[in-house]
Amino acid sequence: MKMPVETEHITEGPTIAPPPTNATTGAIHAPTNHIVSTWIPLQKWTDDHKVGPVQRLSNNTVPTFALKAPNGLLIIRGYDKVAYWNGMEFHLGFAPQVQNGQALLNSLDLSKNIEPLLQPLALPGRTNRLIVIDPGHGGSNLGTKSVVDGSYEKAFALDWANRLAQLLETNGWKVLLTRTSDIDMALTNRVAFADMHKADLFVSLHFNAAPSPADHDESGIETFCVTPTGMPSTLTREYDDDATLIFPNNRFDAENLKYAIQVQRTVLKVSGAKDHGVRRARFMTVLRGQNCPAILVEGGYLSNPREARRIANPAYRQKLAEAVAKALVEKIEAPSPVVETNPTNDVLNP
Ligand SMILES: [Zn+2]
């Protein structure tokens, strides 16, 4: 039977977390005219924000623009939602327009996707910071299946989480796991767990699979965070993508993106895997109900024989754990001391 990519999200998608005891609860609709989106010349925006300069890189059919900021290089292409930050893919809500040779960006993209990149990620203080790590699936919810040895995503995710927990505990984080064994756990309970413990950060760990066996070549890493209100999602699966909804987690739009970028970068470095980018989704229950910054990492495709072989290797999963840990104990603009080992030889030919 052809399985959806993420059984977990599919089966429980429309449910949202039970509200915390007060104020901001589940999704609400934005008041009329709450979201005002306008098109702003990138050059004007960078002038106003005292960053830049913006340079036009090409006059070909795809006009390309570069913004050099103190902490990175942004590449924008006309009429293309895919943008690049320090060479890494991320997804705008709206394709940039080009007028009189200038790039125009949607104001929501500027405030929700560009501005956060230019600011450093402020990790919670070392003395009392708490992360909830969420190994995807569990129990009868198997997740995807490895084409190499028939193992399930739920087991790999738990192993990855355990390895990450060990590393973070020795690096200033208090760590809790939503599950520590092979049990069923509703998505809403995972959110409630993080709420109950007043987590500072929630990280859900998963592995991926292509929807069709014909796509067994598909591979790579992607990191999700919730879509800002007013913006279309990168990924919707079969769900409605009502851009007017405001979720509790939307209070952390900027932090979500910063964590996602940071984690995606370090995981890519360690794995050498294909970059599927930082993406936005609105249907993921474990993300949108969170009352703290939250991301979901897809650590590779179990439907790809080459990637599945790597994931089956404990040494590789240790490297994935080290990569996520590195992202959460260093500042985003710091020169990266990230594990620079070559993962190919020992992992692919153990
Ligand atoms: Zn999953």
Side-chain angles (χ1 to χ4, degrees):
M1 190 182 95
K2 192 192 286 184
M3 296 286 286
V5 180
E6 284 294 339
T7 313
E8 177 174 32
H9 306 308
I10 297 292
T11 49
E12 294 191 60
T15 320
I16 60 163
T21 46
N22 56 7
T24 327
T25 57
I28 53 172
H29 282 269
T32 314
N33 298 331
H34 180 77
I35 300 298
V36 181
S37 93
T38 52
W39 292 90
I40 297 172
L42 181 58
Q43 184 65 64
K44 178 187 183 321
W45 187 87
T46 55
D47 288 348
D48 291 349
H49 287 73
K50 299 189 169 44
V51 288
V54 176
Q55 290 179 318
R56 182 161 176 159
L57 297 183
S58 84
N59 288 307
N60 301 333
T61 45
V62 183
T64 303
F65 302 87
L67 163 59
K68 280 185 192 164
N71 62 333
L73 177 68
L74 174 71
I75 302 286
I76 297 280
R77 296 186 295 184
Y79 318 109
D80 191 343
K81 285 187 192 180
V82 177
Y84 296 88
W85 175 247
N86 290 329
M88 227 174 59
E89 180 181 312
F90 74 105
H91 292 250
L92 299 170
F94 305 88
Q97 303 298 300
V98 181
Q99 221 171 56
N100 302 325
Q102 277 215 50
L104 270 65
L105 266 74
N106 189 281
S107 55
L108 272 175
D109 276 320
L110 288 167
S111 62
K112 296 294 186 179
N113 274 326
I114 308 297
E115 194 165 358
L117 297 180
L118 307 180
Q119 308 157 345
L121 170 66
L123 290 168
R126 277 184 73 95
T127 49
N128 192 27
R129 58 189 184 192
L130 172 67
I131 182 173
V132 167
I133 304 173
D134 176 45
H137 311 275
S140 62
N141 185 338
L142 307 172
T144 56
K145 189 177 179 179
S146 169
V147 291
V148 167
D149 61 4
S151 300
Y152 288 104
E153 176 187 358
K154 63 173 185 175
F156 289 134
L158 179 58
D159 179 82
W160 186 10
N162 280 327
R163 292 172 187 277
L164 175 59
Q166 278 197 349
L167 291 164
L168 287 178
E169 275 163 359
T170 55
N171 276 286
W173 285 89
K174 188 179 175 202
V175 183
L176 292 171
L177 272 65
T178 53
R179 66 178 180 94
T180 54
S181 59
D182 184 20
I183 54 162
D184 280 276
M185 188 171 191
L187 299 179
T188 48
N189 288 345
R190 299 174 195 238
V191 178
F193 180 86
D195 250 2
M196 185 172 71
H197 292 285
K198 297 189 166 33
D200 295 302
L201 177 63
F202 180 92
V203 176
S204 192
L205 300 178
H206 289 253
F207 291 94
N208 226 332
S212 159
D215 299 325
H216 57 77
D217 282 344
E218 198 164 346
S219 69
I221 310 285
E222 59 207 50
T223 302
F224 286 93
C225 48
V226 83
T227 314
T229 304
M231 195 178 276
S233 294
T234 320
L235 182 75
T236 58
R237 300 251 162 83
E238 301 93 68
Y239 295 107
D240 285 343
D241 190 47
D242 183 350
T244 67
L245 293 177
I246 303 171
F247 292 104
N249 188 246
N250 282 125
R251 299 205 306 283
F252 307 95
D253 281 340
E255 297 309 298
N256 293 339
L257 180 66
K258 291 184 208 177
Y259 277 114
I261 290 271
Q262 180 97 322
V263 168
Q264 175 77 3
R265 186 183 67 170
T266 51
V267 173
L268 283 177
K269 274 193 180 179
V270 165
S271 64
K274 189 177 169 195
D275 180 14
H276 274 279
V278 167
R279 296 169 172 234
R280 303 288 201 171
R282 191 167 262 122
F283 66 85
M284 292 179 174
T285 304
V286 289
L287 295 187
R288 63 192 191 182
Q290 296 289 348
N291 288 291
C292 66
I295 60 171
L296 184 149
V297 190
E298 297 274 7
Y301 280 71
L302 290 171
S303 52
N304 176 302
R306 182 179 172 277
E307 204 156 63
R309 242 189 326 274
R310 301 181 80 190
I311 294 164
N313 186 324
Y316 182 69
R317 295 198 299 276
Q318 181 66 24
K319 287 182 179 186
L320 289 181
E322 286 169 8
V324 178
K326 286 283 182 189
L328 302 180
V329 295
E330 66 180 22
K331 288 192 176 178
I332 199 162
E333 75 280 43
S336 178
V338 166
V339 194
E340 300 286 2
T341 50
N342 174 358
T344 50
N345 294 334
D346 51 338
V347 173
L348 289 179
N349 309 301

